[in-house]
Amino acid sequence: MTHISAKPARQAAETLPANDNNQAALADLSFLDVINDDDQIADIARRAERLGHVTLIIMAIGLTAAPLLYLMLA
């Protein structure tokens, strides 16, 4: 009599087919592993906030200068 199981028997890693879906073979490519210091995280947040402020100021200047330029050339 043959025993029939709903789950197939586990295979060793060497006998599994080569594919990219094997979770054990996936590399952890998170950039957060490189940043491990709170000072570095705070520095990145400060730079991002400064960049946001500069972008906001440039957008405000552009939104006021564009209509003025249009009225001057019309």
Side-chain angles (χ1 to χ4, degrees):
M1 181 180 204
T2 304
H3 178 68
I4 299 174
S5 174
K7 292 183 179 179
R10 299 279 300 167
Q11 294 178 340
E14 293 83 18
T15 60
L16 290 172
N19 62 15
D20 292 336
N21 297 327
N22 188 0
Q23 292 295 327
L26 293 177
D28 188 16
L29 301 176
S30 176
F31 71 92
L32 296 175
D33 295 336
V34 178
I35 304 171
N36 54 5
D37 192 14
D38 287 339
D39 294 334
Q40 291 176 344
I41 295 171
D43 184 46
I44 290 172
R46 265 192 304 277
R47 284 188 278 153
E49 189 174 5
R50 263 188 253 132
L51 180 64
H53 289 158
V54 169
T55 305
L56 183 67
I57 291 169
I58 290 173
M59 287 174 57
I61 291 171
L63 287 173
T64 55
L68 292 176
L69 182 63
Y70 176 75
L71 289 174
M72 287 177 14
L73 293 177

